[in-house]
PDB file of all heavy atoms in Angstrom:
ATOM      1  N   ILE A 293    -287.615 232.169  70.556  1.00 96.00           N
ATOM      2  CA  ILE A 293    -287.559 232.437  69.123  1.00 96.00           C
ATOM      3  C   ILE A 293    -287.532 231.106  68.368  1.00 96.00           C
ATOM      4  O   ILE A 293    -287.441 230.039  68.961  1.00 96.00           O
ATOM      5  CB  ILE A 293    -286.315 233.265  68.750  1.00 96.00           C
ATOM      6  CG1 ILE A 293    -285.048 232.531  69.239  1.00 96.00           C
ATOM      7  CG2 ILE A 293    -286.391 234.659  69.345  1.00 96.00           C
ATOM      8  CD1 ILE A 293    -283.750 233.173  68.839  1.00 96.00           C
ATOM      9  N   ARG A 294    -287.573 231.186  67.025  1.00 95.00           N
ATOM     10  CA  ARG A 294    -287.460 229.997  66.170  1.00 95.00           C
ATOM     11  C   ARG A 294    -286.013 229.839  65.703  1.00 95.00           C
ATOM     12  O   ARG A 294    -285.258 230.817  65.611  1.00 95.00           O
ATOM     13  CB  ARG A 294    -288.384 230.124  64.964  1.00 95.00           C
ATOM     14  CG  ARG A 294    -289.850 230.234  65.311  1.00 95.00           C
ATOM     15  CD  ARG A 294    -290.439 228.880  65.667  1.00 95.00           C
ATOM     16  NE  ARG A 294    -291.790 228.992  66.187  1.00 95.00           N
ATOM     17  CZ  ARG A 294    -292.867 229.186  65.433  1.00 95.00           C
ATOM     18  NH1 ARG A 294    -292.740 229.286  64.128  1.00 95.00           N
ATOM     19  NH2 ARG A 294    -294.062 229.269  65.995  1.00 95.00           N
ATOM     20  N   GLU A 295    -285.647 228.609  65.363  1.00 94.00           N
ATOM     21  CA  GLU A 295    -284.272 228.333  64.990  1.00 94.00           C
ATOM     22  C   GLU A 295    -283.924 228.738  63.556  1.00 94.00           C
ATOM     23  O   GLU A 295    -282.742 228.820  63.205  1.00 94.00           O
ATOM     24  CB  GLU A 295    -283.983 226.838  65.175  1.00 94.00           C
ATOM     25  CG  GLU A 295    -284.846 225.924  64.318  1.00 94.00           C
ATOM     26  CD  GLU A 295    -284.543 224.458  64.571  1.00 94.00           C
ATOM     27  OE1 GLU A 295    -283.360 224.124  64.787  1.00 94.00           O
ATOM     28  OE2 GLU A 295    -285.489 223.647  64.556  1.00 94.00           O
ATOM     29  N   ILE A 319    -281.699 233.260  75.237  1.00 96.00           N
ATOM     30  CA  ILE A 319    -283.007 233.203  74.588  1.00 96.00           C
ATOM     31  C   ILE A 319    -283.305 231.744  74.277  1.00 96.00           C
ATOM     32  O   ILE A 319    -282.429 230.997  73.830  1.00 96.00           O
ATOM     33  CB  ILE A 319    -283.002 234.036  73.295  1.00 96.00           C
ATOM     34  CG1 ILE A 319    -282.563 235.475  73.589  1.00 96.00           C
ATOM     35  CG2 ILE A 319    -284.381 234.025  72.650  1.00 96.00           C
ATOM     36  CD1 ILE A 319    -282.290 236.286  72.345  1.00 96.00           C
ATOM     37  N   PHE A 320    -284.522 231.328  74.534  1.00 97.00           N
ATOM     38  CA  PHE A 320    -284.885 229.930  74.317  1.00 97.00           C
ATOM     39  C   PHE A 320    -285.371 229.730  72.875  1.00 97.00           C
ATOM     40  O   PHE A 320    -286.169 230.521  72.360  1.00 97.00           O
ATOM     41  CB  PHE A 320    -285.962 229.510  75.308  1.00 97.00           C
ATOM     42  CG  PHE A 320    -285.572 229.774  76.743  1.00 97.00           C
ATOM     43  CD1 PHE A 320    -286.383 230.510  77.583  1.00 97.00           C
ATOM     44  CD2 PHE A 320    -284.366 229.298  77.241  1.00 97.00           C
ATOM     45  CE1 PHE A 320    -286.016 230.766  78.885  1.00 97.00           C
ATOM     46  CE2 PHE A 320    -283.988 229.542  78.550  1.00 97.00           C
ATOM     47  CZ  PHE A 320    -284.811 230.282  79.377  1.00 97.00           C
ATOM     48  N   VAL A 321    -284.886 228.678  72.256  1.00 97.00           N
ATOM     49  CA  VAL A 321    -285.216 228.362  70.864  1.00 97.00           C
ATOM     50  C   VAL A 321    -286.230 227.222  70.844  1.00 97.00           C
ATOM     51  O   VAL A 321    -285.985 226.159  71.427  1.00 97.00           O
ATOM     52  CB  VAL A 321    -283.961 227.976  70.068  1.00 97.00           C
ATOM     53  CG1 VAL A 321    -284.310 227.742  68.609  1.00 97.00           C
ATOM     54  CG2 VAL A 321    -282.886 229.055  70.209  1.00 97.00           C
ATOM     55  N   VAL A 322    -287.358 227.444  70.176  1.00 96.00           N
ATOM     56  CA  VAL A 322    -288.421 226.435  70.129  1.00 96.00           C
ATOM     57  C   VAL A 322    -288.835 226.183  68.679  1.00 96.00           C
ATOM     58  O   VAL A 322    -288.564 226.991  67.794  1.00 96.00           O
ATOM     59  CB  VAL A 322    -289.655 226.889  70.944  1.00 96.00           C
ATOM     60  CG1 VAL A 322    -289.304 227.060  72.421  1.00 96.00           C
ATOM     61  CG2 VAL A 322    -290.230 228.194  70.389  1.00 96.00           C
ATOM     62  N   ASP A 323    -289.517 225.037  68.471  1.00 94.00           N
ATOM     63  CA  ASP A 323    -290.050 224.770  67.137  1.00 94.00           C
ATOM     64  C   ASP A 323    -291.490 225.263  67.060  1.00 94.00           C
ATOM     65  O   ASP A 323    -291.984 225.934  67.970  1.00 94.00           O
ATOM     66  CB  ASP A 323    -289.948 223.277  66.802  1.00 94.00           C
ATOM     67  CG  ASP A 323    -290.750 222.391  67.757  1.00 94.00           C
ATOM     68  OD1 ASP A 323    -291.639 222.913  68.477  1.00 94.00           O
ATOM     69  OD2 ASP A 323    -290.487 221.174  67.797  1.00 94.00           O
ATOM     70  N   ARG A 327    -291.829 223.174  71.334  1.00 96.00           N
ATOM     71  CA  ARG A 327    -290.893 222.264  71.981  1.00 96.00           C
ATOM     72  C   ARG A 327    -289.504 222.901  72.017  1.00 96.00           C
ATOM     73  O   ARG A 327    -289.055 223.483  71.032  1.00 96.00           O
ATOM     74  CB  ARG A 327    -290.830 220.921  71.246  1.00 96.00           C
ATOM     75  CG  ARG A 327    -292.076 220.068  71.412  1.00 96.00           C
ATOM     76  CD  ARG A 327    -291.854 218.665  70.827  1.00 96.00           C
ATOM     77  NE  ARG A 327    -293.015 217.805  71.029  1.00 96.00           N
ATOM     78  CZ  ARG A 327    -294.047 217.733  70.198  1.00 96.00           C
ATOM     79  NH1 ARG A 327    -294.049 218.483  69.097  1.00 96.00           N
ATOM     80  NH2 ARG A 327    -295.064 216.939  70.454  1.00 96.00           N
ATOM     81  N   LEU A 328    -288.833 222.747  73.137  1.00 97.00           N
ATOM     82  CA  LEU A 328    -287.520 223.363  73.313  1.00 97.00           C
ATOM     83  C   LEU A 328    -286.472 222.663  72.458  1.00 97.00           C
ATOM     84  O   LEU A 328    -286.313 221.446  72.515  1.00 97.00           O
ATOM     85  CB  LEU A 328    -287.106 223.299  74.790  1.00 97.00           C
ATOM     86  CG  LEU A 328    -285.780 223.959  75.155  1.00 97.00           C
ATOM     87  CD1 LEU A 328    -285.870 225.473  74.956  1.00 97.00           C
ATOM     88  CD2 LEU A 328    -285.392 223.626  76.590  1.00 97.00           C
ATOM     89  N   LYS A 329    -285.756 223.444  71.641  1.00 96.00           N
ATOM     90  CA  LYS A 329    -284.722 222.892  70.761  1.00 96.00           C
ATOM     91  C   LYS A 329    -283.310 223.245  71.249  1.00 96.00           C
ATOM     92  O   LYS A 329    -282.370 222.494  70.996  1.00 96.00           O
ATOM     93  CB  LYS A 329    -284.895 223.430  69.342  1.00 96.00           C
ATOM     94  CG  LYS A 329    -286.276 223.163  68.731  1.00 96.00           C
ATOM     95  CD  LYS A 329    -286.516 221.686  68.523  1.00 96.00           C
ATOM     96  CE  LYS A 329    -285.653 221.145  67.398  1.00 96.00           C
ATOM     97  NZ  LYS A 329    -285.933 219.710  67.116  1.00 96.00           N
ATOM     98  N   GLY A 330    -283.186 224.388  71.886  1.00 96.00           N
ATOM     99  CA  GLY A 330    -281.871 224.815  72.351  1.00 96.00           C
ATOM    100  C   GLY A 330    -281.945 226.199  72.963  1.00 96.00           C
ATOM    101  O   GLY A 330    -283.034 226.738  73.185  1.00 96.00           O
ATOM    102  N   VAL A 331    -280.766 226.787  73.231  1.00 96.00           N
ATOM    103  CA  VAL A 331    -280.712 228.145  73.788  1.00 96.00           C
ATOM    104  C   VAL A 331    -279.681 228.958  73.016  1.00 96.00           C
ATOM    105  O   VAL A 331    -278.693 228.403  72.491  1.00 96.00           O
ATOM    106  CB  VAL A 331    -280.356 228.139  75.291  1.00 96.00           C
ATOM    107  CG1 VAL A 331    -281.425 227.440  76.102  1.00 96.00           C
ATOM    108  CG2 VAL A 331    -278.993 227.509  75.534  1.00 96.00           C
ATOM    109  N   LEU A 332    -279.912 230.248  72.952  1.00 96.00           N
ATOM    110  CA  LEU A 332    -278.997 231.172  72.282  1.00 96.00           C
ATOM    111  C   LEU A 332    -278.579 232.240  73.280  1.00 96.00           C
ATOM    112  O   LEU A 332    -279.418 233.000  73.770  1.00 96.00           O
ATOM    113  CB  LEU A 332    -279.680 231.818  71.074  1.00 96.00           C
ATOM    114  CG  LEU A 332    -278.856 232.857  70.316  1.00 96.00           C
ATOM    115  CD1 LEU A 332    -277.647 232.200  69.650  1.00 96.00           C
ATOM    116  CD2 LEU A 332    -279.723 233.561  69.267  1.00 96.00           C
ATOM    117  N   VAL A 346    -279.925 231.363  63.549  1.00 95.00           N
ATOM    118  CA  VAL A 346    -279.930 230.957  64.957  1.00 95.00           C
ATOM    119  C   VAL A 346    -279.494 229.508  65.129  1.00 95.00           C
ATOM    120  O   VAL A 346    -278.728 229.167  66.036  1.00 95.00           O
ATOM    121  CB  VAL A 346    -281.337 231.164  65.568  1.00 95.00           C
ATOM    122  CG1 VAL A 346    -281.461 230.468  66.922  1.00 95.00           C
ATOM    123  CG2 VAL A 346    -281.643 232.647  65.697  1.00 95.00           C
ATOM    124  N   MET A 350    -276.993 228.262  68.165  1.00 95.00           N
ATOM    125  CA  MET A 350    -277.643 227.829  69.413  1.00 95.00           C
ATOM    126  C   MET A 350    -276.960 226.581  69.984  1.00 95.00           C
ATOM    127  O   MET A 350    -276.360 225.791  69.258  1.00 95.00           O
ATOM    128  CB  MET A 350    -279.127 227.546  69.170  1.00 95.00           C
ATOM    129  CG  MET A 350    -279.417 226.285  68.367  1.00 95.00           C
ATOM    130  SD  MET A 350    -281.192 226.020  68.164  1.00 95.00           S
ATOM    131  CE  MET A 350    -281.207 224.369  67.454  1.00 95.00           C
TER     132      MET A 350
END
Side-chain angles (χ1 to χ4, degrees):
I293 56 175
R294 299 282 172 78
E295 61 182 323
I319 305 169
F320 306 126
V321 184
V322 298
D323 61 17
R327 289 188 177 88
L328 183 66
K329 303 294 289 184
V331 296
L332 177 66
V346 167
M350 72 179 189

